[in-house]
Amino acid sequence: MSRPILPGSTVGVLGSGQLGRMFAIAARRMGYRVHTLSPDDDTPTGQVADREVKADYEDLDAVRDFARHVDVVTFEFENVSAAATEAAEQFAPVRPGGNVLHTTQHRLREKTFLKSNGFPHTPFATVRSLEQLKDALVSLGTPAVLKTAGWGYDGKGQAKINTPADAEAAWTKVTGAIGTATEAVLEAWVDFREEVSVVAARGIDGEYADFGVVSNSHRNHILDLTLAPGDVSEKVRRDAREITRALLEKLQVVGVLCVEFFLTRDDRLLVNELAPRPHNSGHFSFDACLTSQFEQQLRAICGLPLGSTELLRPAAMANLLGDLWTDGEPDWEAACRLPGVKLHLYGKAAPRPGRKMGHLTALAATSAEAARDVLAAREALLRRPSAT
Ligand code: AMP
């Protein structure tokens, strides 16, 4: 086993958003130094890091130089190319490895991986032309959803197809959405009862820990609310954790990975997506667990023993999107007046609609009560002080 990377060392993060910010906060708390690289400056991660490097991910000289100054490289942005991870690997270990990124950053590769390893997944077909799309609609049926193979997140690069007559419009939308992408995945539409996820970590020596099964609800394809623990049967809980453990093992992940599932009305779990990093649906762990998903990522990539993921109290997390700023600055004081609610803001200057600006977490006796409190707190943000 390789020697652990101990406090006092420097961890490098490719990407500079809120995930990197919360990772950096956890790392600095444990006495590590943090460097971040991304094409921007004054970033959510950069604001709390020791060093912020502004460079394109494809500037391989800059990536090499970045890796030369750190002891281990991780990422919070998974669309980093194989060339960039290989460049970094010349100077520092990259965890999780480039193979994990390669599989999970491309829907087709991810789905092919799930299928060929026997993991339950949404029925899909590979589509490279309008003709292939029409054929695939015959075999998969409607409704269905067309998604770009690469560079899609939070519902971007997707089009729902309700009837075969929608095929052409969907093809034009998806192929035009992100550059000149002409490779897409057609997925059967899943009439799910619920969306659930499991955030888990695997250490260098194969040690495994997860944060349990949480229930997620989305608005406009973006995560809105997470309940921990999720409201699922014991069997679903067991199955979801078993599938997650097997996935991390198969991919030989060193670090954190989130598995998003659809839970069908007849209690079957289908893997929807893998994210090889801490995930929005694991943010509750920052306040509600003995070890957060961010500290766990740090421990895993540094070769330290994993921490306890014990849930201290049931929790709920609600995202704060830029839409909240439509009528001016939200009323932070009102939200802080609710005991048991924690406010997280990511230091982003421009509150655009749909942009993740922060989140609230509430702890309570049950996750349903926590959900009620966190939604009340979010609602309170909209009440202007002058309106009382
Ligand atoms: P994705 O970016 O693929 O995770 O999709 C974002 C959201 O769109 C998911 O969390 C679901 O709410 C919805 N969605 C995506 N694919 C499907 C599908 N095949 N069936 C039903 N809903 C879907």
Side-chain angles (χ1 to χ4, degrees):
M1 205 184 110
S2 54
R3 287 221 324 269
I5 296 161
L6 295 171
S9 307
T10 304
V11 290
V13 185
L14 295 177
S16 62
Q18 62 270 16
L19 300 175
R21 179 186 182 91
M22 289 181 270
F23 171 81
I25 290 170
R28 293 193 71 159
R29 196 172 72 170
M30 280 179 63
Y32 286 83
R33 292 184 177 275
V34 180
H35 293 185
T36 172
L37 179 145
S38 81
D40 302 307
D41 50 22
D42 190 28
T43 59
T45 310
Q47 290 165 12
V48 296
D50 295 87
R51 180 170 178 234
E52 182 176 46
V53 176
K54 183 179 177 184
D56 199 89
Y57 300 115
E58 297 318 311
D59 179 346
L60 301 187
D61 286 335
V63 171
R64 274 187 211 100
D65 189 58
F66 178 75
R68 208 176 275 127
H69 291 90
V70 301
D71 297 291
V72 58
V73 172
T74 189
F75 43 83
E76 62 112 60
F77 170 76
E78 66 257 46
N79 285 318
V80 175
S81 70
T85 52
E86 278 159 24
E89 254 163 9
Q90 291 167 13
F91 297 98
V94 176
R95 294 174 182 154
N99 66 308
V100 182
L101 277 187
H102 186 71
T103 303
T104 57
Q105 69 191 187
H106 190 269
R107 282 189 204 279
L108 259 181
R109 283 199 290 270
E110 183 173 286
K111 289 194 178 296
T112 307
F113 161 81
L114 293 171
K115 187 175 177 180
S116 52
N117 289 288
F119 290 106
H121 57 279
T122 315
F124 73 98
T126 305
V127 171
R128 294 197 175 85
S129 68
L130 178 58
E131 284 319 302
Q132 280 186 357
L133 173 58
K134 288 179 178 168
D135 290 347
L137 282 168
V138 174
S139 51
L140 282 181
T142 51
V145 55
L146 186 67
K147 302 180 178 180
T148 49
W151 300 96
Y153 66 97
D154 285 347
K156 293 194 173 61
Q158 300 192 9
K160 190 170 175 196
I161 300 179
N162 289 313
T163 73
D166 298 341
E168 193 159 350
W171 180 248
T172 308
K173 180 180 171 203
V174 165
T175 54
I178 297 167
T180 52
T182 49
E183 204 174 39
V185 182
L186 183 72
E187 272 181 40
W189 188 256
V190 180
D191 178 26
F192 53 78
R193 177 198 314 188
E194 177 165 16
E195 292 186 79
V196 300
S197 60
V198 179
V199 172
R202 185 174 172 277
I204 288 177
D205 54 1
E207 188 187 1
Y208 171 87
D210 67 53
F211 290 88
V213 181
V214 300
S215 296
N216 301 315
S217 41
H218 293 77
R219 233 195 243 175
N220 298 326
H221 296 278
I222 301 173
L223 182 66
D224 183 50
L225 182 70
T226 295
L227 267 68
D231 182 21
V232 296
S233 67
E234 264 321 303
K235 178 175 180 331
V236 167
R237 206 177 295 285
R238 230 183 7 253
D239 289 353
R241 297 176 79 176
E242 214 164 89
I243 293 167
T244 303
R245 187 184 190 121
L247 276 165
L248 269 78
E249 195 57 39
K250 192 79 209 168
L251 285 165
Q252 291 286 292
V253 172
V254 174
V256 167
L257 183 138
C258 173
V259 186
E260 291 182 82
F261 296 93
F262 294 135
L263 179 60
T264 64
R265 295 190 187 277
D266 55 353
D267 256 5
R268 278 178 307 122
L269 285 159
L270 302 175
V271 175
N272 170 35
E273 245 189 345
L274 308 178
R277 49 167 171 76
H279 189 258
N280 199 167
S281 67
H283 287 1
F284 72 93
S285 64
F286 215 161
D287 298 303
C289 296
L290 208 51
T291 307
S292 74
Q293 61 170 348
F294 304 103
E295 181 180 329
Q296 203 72 300
Q297 180 187 20
L298 176 79
R299 286 170 174 255
I301 66 166
C302 289
L304 293 173
L306 299 181
S308 160
T309 56
E310 184 185 340
L311 183 68
L312 301 172
R313 289 187 81 194
M317 185 281 323
N319 269 338
L320 304 178
L321 301 185
D323 312 60
L324 279 171
W325 275 251
T326 307
D327 296 319
E329 191 70 15
D331 185 353
W332 304 123
E333 208 186 328
C336 291
R337 236 175 260 135
L338 289 146
V341 175
K342 309 292 286 183
L343 171 66
H344 297 251
L345 289 171
Y346 307 147
K348 297 182 184 178
R352 290 188 293 276
R355 190 174 197 207
K356 291 175 181 169
M357 301 296 290
H359 69 267
L360 296 169
T361 303
L363 307 187
T366 65
S367 56
E369 265 178 50
R372 189 198 57 204
D373 293 350
V374 85
L375 292 176
R378 190 166 66 180
E379 195 55 36
L381 289 175
L382 290 172
R383 267 179 244 132
R384 306 273 86 78
S386 57
T388 52

